[in-house]
Amino acid sequence: VLSALFHEYARADFPRAKEGIAVCRSLKDPRSRLPCIEGLSGAFMKYGEPNVEHMKGLQFCNLNILSEDEQTACFWHILSRLRLWYSQEKTNQICQSVPEQFQAFCPNY
């Protein structure tokens, strides 16, 4: 639920998503922080420009201001769902473009 809420918060607006990081970190329950980050990254997939949704989402995941566990949650949220958006070929291309430590999150065909 929290992830879906933050899809709507960000709506694929990069400055708004960056602002949302502080909101996620300020949530009272610390277990909410990572689902919140996932929601911000998911906004780019849900509302991004067709056929290139992943680009801004992955750019968001690469932000230096994200902690290591936030980056991991972000990449996992986008990469594990690529097959829902793209062909196997495009998914493989995208997966090869991300840092190696996150490629394990890519779907297996």
Side-chain angles (χ1 to χ4, degrees), residues 12-24:
D13 177 350
F14 208 84
R16 182 88 168 144
K18 284 177 69 173
E19 173 188 298
I21 295 168
V23 175
C24 293

Side-chain angles (χ1 to χ4, degrees), residues 7 10-14 17 38-62 74-75 77-79 81-87 90-91 94 97-98:
H7 284 161
R11 303 262 313 170
D13 177 350
F14 208 84
E38 291 171 1
L40 294 173
S41 67
F44 295 101
M45 297 303 289
K46 185 173 182 180
Y47 296 112
E49 183 180 344
N51 297 311
V52 291
E53 298 93 341
H54 67 283
M55 294 179 76
K56 285 187 179 178
L58 295 176
Q59 182 183 359
F60 176 78
C61 293
N62 272 310
C74 187
F75 276 105
H77 190 75
I78 291 178
L79 296 174
R81 292 167 173 77
L82 287 176
R83 70 172 53 184
L84 302 173
W85 297 90
Y86 303 119
S87 68
K90 185 166 183 170
T91 295
I94 294 167
S97 74
V98 301

